[in-house]
Amino acid sequence: MKHQIRKNLLAALLVPLILTLSCTSISLDSSSLSSLVTHAGPLLASAAKVADAANKANEQFTPRQEYYIGRAVAADITSMYKVEPIGPATLYLNALVQVLAAASTMPVTYGGYHVLILDTNQINALSAPGGFIFVTRGLLECTRDETSLAAVLAHEIGHIENRHGLDAIKQERRNQVFVVLGKEVVKNLGNQQLEQLTDTFGKSITDVITTMVNDGYSREQEKQADLSAVSILRKAGYNPRGLIEMLKIMEVRLKPDSGGFAKTHPSPADRIETLAPEIGTKATYEEPAAWTARFHKYMDSLLKTP
Amino acid sequence: MNKRQLWFLIVLLLGVSGLVAAPLRVQVQDVALRAKPSYLGTVLTQLPYGSRVQLVQSQGAWTKVTAGDISGWLPSASVSQAEVEMNIGSEGATTSSNENALAGKGFTEQIEQNYQKERHIDYTWVNRMEKIQPPETILESFVKDGPRGAFQ
């Protein structure tokens, strides 16, 4: 009986603690938790395992490292395409992306979310780790209102929050970095280390670009980004059917040999079918007149639509 | 409950309180400390990367902290209880094992500078992109007309 009372007391003390910790997105010091758990029993052990796994995954690339990878990928993208000069449409997209990012599971990144428009008729969008988003004029022409435009950005935020870009970096690169530096205290990089790390960095960027531009993400990753987009749109206050609207227009405009989305994404019809259990297949929705007016105010000069 | 078990509980609770009250570090380039848990809350001050703040309370996506004598709210994802890595060799760098593990990953400003120099990579548009600030008029229209989701 006494034993039972003690167990209950311990549980009464520990359960609120676990709840408190699990309700914050602050990463915990896994070693502190582990040492606590050694004495505290199975209840905390499972909480610590979750914290441990999250920490290990996060330690692979911190937000700051993700930012430097993203900057290099973004630099490559801007060297491949002509960039639209920063005007009303770009400024509007940069405001809209803040509204949407706030509704994502990654509301802040080290350097924040930023959008540029690529001046090409090709239908495509690319997102580099850490929040760098690129949308082509061709893809923007597949949007009719703010809701469908939000769907385009929400899909790209979906790739970023799921860290699909980083997934493309081969394990051997990650191992290579560790081989170069080992576990020693490193205060200053020697020339050889600097060269080796720069080489690994360059190869990592190539991994990301190759996947993003040439091979495309996997079908599963595209589905994940679409489902993230649905969640982001809902939480932000947009009708997720804007995604269906955009995909239906894209389906009409996309030519199989046109590169871009056609090469690296499942067909719009397949994507609509995948989304059907979540939001149906109809593109019917209404958005407030003020949103449509805002869309036209900032986008018309770029899209030249009547 | 015997004496030994009582001491264990006391030590455990002290440890736990220390864990929860541990200082946090800003893990993004800079973040606005706001008067309320909303992206539209008044900005009290900007906190740069590595700033140390004290946890007051957590409320889902937002965390209340004190920074010096200012109390306010930060997006929870902008702070970490882990040490953040500083530039290798920088004065602010500590030598904690956690930081070494992070610094050991090596993808830092120093690597970027060497990469830019060796490969002649042009970062002009990336730097320009990062400086884009949507005008107040556009942001105000989102506040006025919505959508009224997570941002508000």
Side-chain angles (χ1 to χ4, degrees), chain B:
Chain B
M1 188 180 290
N2 63 32
K3 244 182 185 178
R4 197 174 159 191
Q5 286 165 331
L6 187 65
W7 273 113
F8 166 68
L9 260 184
I10 290 168
V11 168
L12 180 68
L13 290 173
L14 285 175
V16 163
S17 63
L19 187 70
V20 173
L24 306 174
R25 290 272 203 173
V26 172
Q27 62 169 351
V28 298
Q29 203 162 33
D30 73 303
V31 63
L33 183 69
R34 295 183 185 273
K36 60 179 186 178
S38 159
Y39 288 98
L40 302 176
T42 308
V43 177
L44 304 172
T45 186
Q46 290 288 137
L47 298 172
Y49 177 79
S51 297
R52 200 184 283 266
V53 295
Q54 291 290 333
L55 173 67
V56 177
Q57 74 173 93
S58 221
Q59 188 182 302
W62 290 88
T63 296
K64 189 170 191 184
V65 301
T66 53
D69 54 359
I70 309 173
S71 182
W73 294 86
L74 294 174
S76 299
S78 67
V79 287
S80 167
Q81 203 158 18
E83 281 292 310
V84 294
E85 79 272 33
M86 308 297 278
N87 292 335
I88 293 174
S90 74
E91 283 186 19
T94 67
T95 52
S96 75
S97 59
N98 190 22
E99 184 203 323
N100 293 331
L102 293 169
K105 298 296 179 190
F107 292 164
T108 60
E109 191 177 2
Q110 188 185 14
I111 300 299
E112 181 186 282
Q113 284 169 357
N114 201 44
Y115 174 73
Q116 270 192 62
K117 196 176 80 182
E118 282 188 359
R119 314 273 178 107
H120 308 290
I121 308 284
D122 185 359
Y123 275 69
T124 307
W125 265 113
V126 182
N127 294 332
R128 210 175 282 172
M129 180 182 194
E130 284 194 65
K131 289 193 181 108
I132 296 174
Q133 289 288 343
E136 287 294 315
T137 47
I138 303 182
L139 293 171
E140 279 166 11
S141 90
F142 279 103
V143 175
K144 180 172 160 277
D145 300 319
R148 307 204 185 282
F151 186 70
Q152 304 257 13

Side-chain angles (χ1 to χ4, degrees), chain A residues 173-247:
Chain A
R173 316 273 183 247
R174 301 165 195 246
N175 298 343
Q176 182 69 30
V177 176
F178 211 68
V179 168
V180 172
L181 293 174
K183 293 179 180 175
E184 299 303 313
V185 175
V186 179
K187 286 192 171 179
N188 289 298
L189 288 174
N191 279 344
Q192 196 186 351
Q193 286 174 317
L194 181 61
E195 290 310 313
Q196 284 176 320
L197 277 177
T198 305
D199 182 59
T200 305
F201 182 70
K203 285 176 176 161
S204 301
I205 304 311
T206 305
D207 288 344
V208 180
I209 289 286
T210 303
T211 296
M212 204 181 280
V213 179
N214 300 336
D215 304 337
Y217 291 124
S218 69
R219 186 167 283 264
E220 190 51 43
Q221 285 173 319
E222 289 302 338
K223 180 183 169 185
Q224 206 177 6
D226 273 342
L227 292 175
S228 287
V230 169
S231 164
I232 290 166
L233 290 167
R234 277 191 180 129
K235 284 186 196 159
Y238 289 102
N239 192 319
R241 287 186 173 178
L243 187 53
I244 304 289
E245 160 80 0
M246 186 273 292
L247 288 169

